[in-house]
Amino acid sequence: MTFKLTSELMSGFEEIDGQHRMLFQRLDGVMEAVKSDDLTATKQAFQGLGDYLIAHFAAEESFMAGASYPERSRHKSAHDLFMQDFAQLARELEATGLSVPVLQWITARVPEWIKFHIQVNDLPLGRFLASRRFRPDVESRRVDKQRTS
Ligand SMILES: [Fe+2]
């Protein structure tokens, strides 16, 4: 496993930390597919990562709304910008396959952004939610169901 949720990336809010753990597993799946130079497997794993990111960002955004988190609009903007970048990467992957720029983007830029975002945006959010003893409702936790799929 290449990507691990190390202690400095944990917020203490289990709902978010658990989703990040899953996110890193999906990221690892993409890296494995890239390493084996398998375009079909890479596209599949990449799509799976994108689906998980969408569900995970939606869950965080619902936690922020539910807890009236003061930084929520800035945090959501970071999610939106990243997903625009991710959609662009998906188009590049489709158009050029496992080209050098695409490989660089997948193996460096994506994981760097995710780690940076966790450190800068998600840790303060998780600590805020933990300190408020925030309890997500069932609907906003639905991303968890993907753990078994
Ligand atoms: Fe986030």
Side-chain angles (χ1 to χ4, degrees), residues 57 60 75 79 117 121-122:
F57 288 166
E60 280 188 359
H75 193 144
H79 290 168
H117 178 76
N121 297 101
D122 295 340

Side-chain angles (χ1 to χ4, degrees), residues 16 20 56-57 60-61 64 75-76 78-79 113 117-118 121-123 125:
I16 285 180
H20 286 159
H56 168 60
F57 288 166
E60 280 188 359
E61 286 160 19
M64 291 194 278
H75 193 144
K76 186 184 184 310
H79 290 168
W113 184 90
H117 178 76
I118 289 176
N121 297 101
D122 295 340
L123 291 187
L125 170 62

Side-chain angles (χ1 to χ4, degrees), residues 9 111-122:
L9 294 177
E112 277 162 19
W113 184 90
I114 290 175
K115 282 186 198 164
F116 176 81
H117 178 76
I118 289 176
Q119 283 173 323
V120 171
N121 297 101
D122 295 340

